[in-house]
């Protein structure tokens, strides 16, 4: 629970001294990027409310940490520090992480489950297929990520099948109370399996994990066709109550899985040598395949308040993920 280090009374007194500290450009950028929707008031935040929320969140992190390590917080000193920080940010003298300005203190779910969303940047080596799932999750919570894939790393990754067909059920969105939160894999028989995608960040990541499991684990080598069901994914434009903003719909997710299949079947860039496979269809990827798959993940995710459509994916390029391939 956030502690109100910066009180409404303090803000009312100080904001009256400088009611409009933002320039026209600054006001536009702030409203577009950092002002959260306040459902209880039927409007977006004002600048002083955003700063109050972010400062209270950061100072609560400080006091919680002191308690965690066995120290007693000096709440009065922390309040005085919070008020100084508020004035500095409000008057545009300094700024916290942009991610924290957007997410920090947004609601209890964000504060407890999605603290990683406060980080602007991260980095990982892709040495296993689960690393791509982590890339997906970090992008979904708003953390930018860079990856590295070398020939040595790629050669040590489990082999992946390139002969699995990907199909998609017709999208028929179900009512909110009927939506699955988590994804699940159901084997239909005769080599067919269906992945039902859950309507949550975790559900989206789980769908990728299930897909990669089918393609890489020997226990699933009898499955030759995967069909995706997106019926639990909320329709495009529906308001996102936890993170804010609106849903991108199921299409970017569908295009991501279609793109993966094309990468593995060498249908993205026919100038590349195809993946060499054994009699069961298992083959060893190269760094360029990891690059393309990571780009497709980035294209699927809403980043910076706008959607990058996977249908605009170009050969080995993306603005959503920074990559180093060797």
């Amino acid at each position: 629970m956030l502690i109100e280090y910066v009180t409404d009374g303090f803000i009312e007194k100080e904001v009256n001294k400088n009611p409009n500290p933002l320039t026209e450009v600054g006001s536009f950028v702030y409203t577009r990027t950092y002002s959260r929707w306040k459902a209880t008031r039927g409007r977006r935040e004002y600048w002083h409310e955003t700063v109050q929320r972010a400062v209270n969140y950061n100072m609560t992190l400080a006091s919680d940490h002191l308690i965690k390590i066995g120290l007693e917080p000096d709440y009065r000193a922390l309040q005085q520090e919070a008020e100084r920080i508020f004035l500095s940010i409000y008057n545009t003298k300094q700024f916290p992480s942009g991610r924290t300005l957007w997410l920090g203190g947004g609601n209890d779910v964000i504060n407890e489950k999605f603290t990683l969303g406060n980080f602007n940047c991260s980095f990982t080596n892709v040495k296993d297929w689960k690393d791509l799932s982590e890339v997906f999750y970090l992008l979904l919570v708003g953390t930018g990520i860079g990856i590295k894939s070398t020939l040595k790393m790629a050669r040590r990754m489990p082999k992946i099948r390139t002969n699995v067909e990907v199909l998609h059920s017709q999208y028929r969105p179900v009512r909110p109370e009927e939506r699955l939160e988590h994804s699940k894999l159901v084997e239909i028989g005769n080599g067919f399996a269906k992945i039902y995608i859950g309507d949550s960040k975790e559900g989206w990541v789980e769908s990728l994990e299930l897909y990669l499991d089918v393609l890489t684990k020997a226990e699933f080598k009898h499955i030759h066709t995967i069909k995706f069901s997106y019926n639990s994914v909320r329709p495009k434009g529906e308001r996102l109550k936890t993170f804010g903003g609106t849903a991108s719909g199921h299409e970017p997710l569908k295009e991501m899985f279609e793109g993966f299949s094309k990468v593995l079947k060498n249908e993205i860039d026919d100038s590349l040598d195809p993946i060499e496979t054994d009699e069961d269809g298992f083959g060893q990827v190269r760094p360029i395949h990891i690059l393309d798959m990571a780009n497709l993940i980035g294209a699927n995710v809403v980043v910076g308040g706008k959607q990058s459509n996977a249908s605009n994916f170009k050969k080995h390029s993306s603005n959503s993920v920074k990559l180093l391939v060797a």
Side-chain angles (χ1 to χ4, degrees):
M1 180 180 294
L2 295 188
I3 299 174
E4 194 175 276
Y5 287 103
V6 180
T7 65
D8 292 340
F10 172 82
I11 288 177
E12 184 178 359
K13 179 180 65 176
E14 295 297 332
V15 168
N16 285 337
K17 298 177 182 178
N18 186 10
N20 190 24
L22 300 178
T23 64
E24 289 185 4
V25 173
S27 181
F28 168 78
V29 172
Y30 157 67
T31 304
R32 178 201 65 185
T33 311
Y34 303 113
S35 176
R36 296 185 64 83
W37 176 258
K38 294 176 72 72
T40 56
R41 300 193 179 184
R43 61 168 174 80
R44 287 186 173 275
E45 290 176 328
Y46 299 136
W47 173 234
H48 68 269
E49 293 172 323
T50 299
V51 179
Q52 180 187 32
R53 167 176 56 75
V55 172
N56 283 339
Y57 173 76
N58 277 279
M59 298 308 296
T60 300
L61 289 179
S63 57
D64 286 350
H65 178 69
L66 290 172
I67 294 171
K68 183 177 180 179
I69 62 176
L71 299 177
E72 179 66 28
D74 184 339
Y75 289 102
R76 179 54 186 158
L78 288 173
Q79 182 177 29
Q80 292 173 342
E81 181 180 2
E83 290 172 352
R84 291 194 298 271
I85 294 173
F86 172 87
L87 291 175
S88 185
I89 296 173
Y90 176 76
N91 291 304
T92 69
K93 303 298 183 183
Q94 69 178 89
F95 292 96
S97 156
R99 294 301 308 165
T100 296
L101 204 59
W102 161 242
L103 283 180
N107 55 58
D108 291 340
V109 177
I110 290 175
N111 297 343
E112 294 186 15
K113 290 183 61 179
F114 301 117
T115 53
L116 284 174
N118 287 283
F119 293 90
N120 285 331
C121 302
S122 61
F123 176 83
T124 189
N125 292 320
V126 179
K127 298 180 178 180
D128 190 86
W129 290 109
K130 285 192 176 295
D131 293 330
L132 285 181
S133 298
E134 291 189 4
V135 169
F136 195 15
Y137 179 79
L138 285 166
L139 289 174
L140 283 170
V141 300
T143 301
I145 184 166
I147 72 164
K148 179 179 179 180
S149 176
T150 65
L151 281 172
K152 184 177 180 180
M153 292 176 190
R155 287 169 180 163
R156 291 183 175 180
M157 293 180 69
K159 292 185 176 181
I160 190 167
R161 285 193 292 148
T162 66
N163 59 354
V164 177
E165 186 175 2
V166 170
L167 302 176
H168 310 277
S169 297
Q170 184 176 350
Y171 179 56
R172 294 187 177 93
V174 299
R175 293 178 298 179
E177 62 270 18
E178 297 175 341
R179 293 171 184 164
L180 296 173
E181 180 180 358
H182 296 280
S183 296
K184 63 180 181 179
L185 172 71
V186 176
E187 292 197 41
I188 301 172
N190 297 321
F192 289 83
K194 196 166 186 177
I195 294 177
Y196 295 85
I197 301 177
D199 186 47
S200 64
K201 299 184 193 313
E202 294 85 356
W204 282 33
V205 174
E206 289 162 358
S207 70
L208 175 57
E209 291 175 342
L210 291 170
Y211 170 74
L212 292 174
D213 281 348
V214 172
L215 268 59
T216 60
K217 293 186 176 180
E219 64 194 89
F220 295 116
K221 70 178 184 179
H222 61 284
I223 296 176
H224 56 70
T225 303
I226 299 174
K227 195 170 191 178
F228 288 95
S229 171
Y230 305 92
N231 292 345
S232 287
V233 177
R234 68 192 69 188
K236 181 179 180 180
E238 183 175 320
R239 185 171 295 281
L240 302 175
K241 296 180 180 178
T242 300
F243 256 56
T246 56
S248 58
H250 78 289
E251 284 291 340
L253 192 57
K254 175 182 176 181
E255 290 168 353
M256 182 185 77
F257 285 117
E258 287 181 343
F260 287 163
S261 183
K262 289 179 180 179
V263 168
L264 296 174
K265 296 178 187 297
N266 207 45
E267 296 174 358
I268 291 288
D269 186 349
D270 56 14
S271 69
L272 295 177
D273 291 332
I275 298 172
E276 296 183 5
T277 60
D278 60 21
E279 63 275 9
D280 292 319
F282 285 95
Q284 198 71 56
V285 295
R286 304 188 299 276
I288 195 65
H289 302 112
I290 300 300
L291 169 69
D292 280 345
M293 295 175 82
N295 279 338
L296 284 162
I297 293 172
N300 172 32
V301 177
V302 176
V303 178
K306 69 177 182 178
Q307 177 186 322
S308 297
N309 193 317
S311 64
N312 294 326
F313 171 71
K314 303 299 181 183
K315 296 177 182 178
H316 326 311
S317 64
S318 171
N319 292 324
S320 301
V321 194
K322 305 252 183 232
L323 306 116
L324 172 63
V325 182

